[in-house]
Amino acid sequence: MIPEALLMEAAKPVINTLIKNVITPKITQFAERCNIAYNELLIPRGEHFEEYLFRTYKKYSIINTLVFKNEQRLLKDLYLPLTISKEDMHSRNKESFKIDKYPQELIQKYDKILITDTAGMGKSTMTKRIFLDVIDNGYGIPIYLEMRRLSEEKTILDEIQEQVNSIAKDFNRQLLLEFIQTGGFVFFLDGYDEISLNDRISVTSDVQDFISKAGNNVFVITSRPEQALASFGDFQVFTINPLAKKEAYELLRKYDNQGGTSKLLIDELKSGQYGMINEFLKNPLLVSLLFAAFDYKQTIPLKKHIFYRQVYDAYFDSHDLSKGDHYIHDKHSNLDIDDFERVLRYVGFKCLKSQKIEFDKDSLLYIIDEAKDFCPDLHFTSSDFLNDILSSVPLFCKDGQYLKWVHKSLQEYFAAQFIYKDSKESQDAILSALYNSDNLDKYMNMLDIYYDIDNWGFRKNILKPLCESYIKHYETNIYTSSIVDKKEIEDRIGYLFMRDVCILRAELSNPLDPFKEIREKTKHFFKGEISTMTHFHRDDVAISTSINPKRKILSILIKRLPFLFGNYTHRRPTDDFSMPFDKIVLISVHSGDSCLDEFIYYNFYMGTAARETHSYFDYMRCTEEISKINKILRDKEKTSNLIEGL
């Protein structure tokens, strides 16, 4: 355990300096301007911020990782500097920033930043490291908000007020907002994707309204990829660069302080026998899972779900070395490792359905009660099981008054296992419902894990209908042209699969903040919401896109089944070609086919604006894959007939 007194002693001088040099003068100036007395408690005072900063500095200085179970470590000791990148849409070069502290150069250039990436890339850890550096060096007044706490009933201003003074909540809300509007705050809005679906619209509207009123501050939002993020069009989007191998090895060494386990593991990885898991070494979470799995079993798991299983085994059989090698934590529930997992699988699936990772105690106990009913042959009390998942098998942790999964991906792993092992005759229906869900974005990581667990179920219920949709799309749109090459036409068909795209070239009244205007000019072209918007400043070209969530599945398949895909040509139109001003086009397969340069122009800008894979289904290979799946289905039906009557 980390000595709390030492941590707070180290934090005391930097927090006091921030209060003295930044916060108190700012409050005093604001109070004098508004002619407000401090003792009226109409705005927060220096001591309110002091209490908040000490509390949050302690909270975010300590990290609970999957590697160390319930053992605490300092974030600064374990943090590996990550690099975030923004693509240049023309040169394909990346503007990159290494985040080892508060990124002053980045913030000076972009004061509204959206960091979006897949599960386990380190979004939250990165923003917590920046938060600590803001305090350490007095760069502003940092406010860290976990967006899952926001709801229709609880606004962002409510949460700020509650965070700054957890004892007395009697500030004047309007004056608090006016104080924030004076600037100098750095807001971290972590986990947009974790907002409850029921509250998503109201919370998004509230956050947008707050940002518009308090725009004279720095805002950093983190999220997994979500269509609704297009609402924050004035934010600059960054993604986290995959780890290089040397960075993955450095992270492994941090986990055991340059010890023998990491050396042995790295030597194994360098042996050349494990090239198939190189993809996993790019993701900080999977690197931590690899260490935990290897530390437990001294073997290297080759698939993602095996990582999670070995980590679970390590948690369940966790040894307390301080009490001797053979001491194993007693389980209050008295369940063995397999029965304990059965309950966890149900809990994971119910949490996935509700799209929540954080609960109050009563809500989590209610889910465990339901799991008991689902497993009537098991005998345990819900409170004992809750104690186990908080201590003996610490897959949950306490966060103030809330209880939450140590990492969302663990919930997704157990949910995937539930669908495969426990849903029985409902399995196909569940997978089909996920595929057809309007909230498919929410299930992408779970489906990625599921692919390894049940390849056949994935192919039958998700790959097959997706390929069938592409074949229908292709056959409806393919045509022969005397001007445009077939490959360019096939590129266009690939671009427009489950995607509507509107392109415009027009002089915008506010080129520094064009997205509101782009939305207004193009929104009537789309049946659904705009998913992404891109503005190319050099050519004053804008792209608006509405994407069917099913298209996101391509990002899973391109890694697993690359033989199903072809690559875009991505040819650039001739330099002297440009579209007329004030032309807005909802692109179809035929758009621009009267002129090769115009056709290529549309394809080029669609390609540079695409944030997902630059590959698309190959028609013939999709046809062959469906034939294979249908043959297996027929063979399984024949086998079923053979065993009838036995």
Side-chain angles (χ1 to χ4, degrees), residues 86-109:
K86 173 181 90 74
E87 284 191 354
D88 184 307
M89 295 302 181
H90 292 289
S91 68
R92 312 300 294 172
N93 293 327
K94 291 184 176 181
E95 182 180 13
S96 299
F97 298 87
K98 192 162 195 172
I99 308 299
D100 55 356
K101 56 186 178 180
Y102 181 73
Q104 285 182 288
E105 180 188 354
L106 171 65
I107 298 301
Q108 287 171 359
K109 193 167 186 179

Side-chain angles (χ1 to χ4, degrees), residues 466-468 470-471 564 617-627:
L466 191 65
C467 286
E468 288 172 341
Y470 185 76
I471 289 170
L564 287 179
F617 274 140
D618 179 280
Y619 171 75
M620 290 303 298
R621 294 169 189 168
C622 280
T623 304
E624 291 167 2
E625 184 66 17
I626 289 176
S627 296

Side-chain angles (χ1 to χ4, degrees), residues 35-49:
N35 194 26
I36 303 169
Y38 283 132
N39 58 12
E40 292 179 15
L41 289 175
L42 292 174
I43 58 170
R45 294 172 289 174
E47 54 262 41
H48 294 136
F49 281 102

Side-chain angles (χ1 to χ4, degrees), residues 9 22 45 153 161 195 245 302 384-385 565 584 622:
E9 191 63 30
V22 177
R45 294 172 289 174
E153 292 76 31
Q161 192 168 335
I195 300 170
K245 276 191 180 179
L302 300 181
D384 282 343
F385 190 87
F565 293 83
I584 303 176
C622 280

Side-chain angles (χ1 to χ4, degrees), residues 471-616:
I471 289 170
K472 182 178 180 181
H473 169 73
Y474 181 94
E475 291 176 347
T476 302
N477 289 288
I478 191 65
Y479 69 100
T480 302
S481 171
S482 59
I483 297 172
V484 183
D485 294 341
K486 183 180 180 182
K487 181 64 170 65
E488 292 284 357
I489 295 172
E490 289 185 334
D491 283 356
R492 175 72 60 82
I493 292 171
Y495 281 128
L496 296 179
F497 176 53
M498 293 187 169
R499 180 162 62 179
D500 293 319
V501 182
C502 185
I503 187 168
L504 64 148
R505 178 177 169 84
E507 292 179 319
L508 300 169
S509 59
N510 184 7
L512 296 178
D513 185 14
F515 294 101
K516 182 177 180 181
E517 193 169 347
I518 294 170
R519 179 182 296 277
E520 289 303 312
K521 285 178 177 289
T522 60
K523 66 180 182 181
H524 64 280
F525 283 91
F526 301 117
K527 297 175 183 176
E529 293 185 358
I530 294 175
S531 300
T532 62
M533 290 182 290
T534 305
H535 181 229
F536 305 92
H537 292 277
R538 190 184 73 180
D539 299 335
D540 220 4
V541 172
I543 297 276
S544 288
T545 307
S546 176
I547 301 173
N548 185 318
K550 292 185 178 69
R551 186 179 171 90
K552 302 287 184 70
I553 297 172
L554 298 184
S555 63
I556 296 176
L557 299 176
I558 190 63
K559 294 182 294 185
R560 310 303 189 104
L561 302 169
F563 64 87
L564 287 179
F565 293 83
N567 293 315
Y568 293 117
T569 308
H570 206 69
R571 249 201 302 173
R572 190 184 183 95
T574 55
D575 290 337
D576 59 351
F577 180 83
S578 62
M579 288 294 295
F581 276 87
D582 298 320
K583 183 169 183 177
I584 303 176
V585 177
L586 181 64
I587 300 177
S588 70
V589 173
H590 292 269
S591 296
D593 63 355
S594 59
C595 167
L596 180 59
D597 262 343
E598 188 174 350
F599 194 94
I600 294 172
Y601 174 94
Y602 293 138
N603 279 12
F604 174 77
Y605 279 104
M606 278 195 291
T608 52
R611 288 179 184 158
E612 76 274 31
T613 173
H614 289 278
S615 302
Y616 61 92

Side-chain angles (χ1 to χ4, degrees), residues 14 25 49 104 122 127 163 182 203 295 393 400 405 410 492 523 607:
V14 296
F49 281 102
Q104 285 182 288
T127 51
Q163 288 291 328
T182 62
V203 170
D295 187 40
V393 192
W405 287 88
L410 278 167
R492 175 72 60 82
K523 66 180 182 181

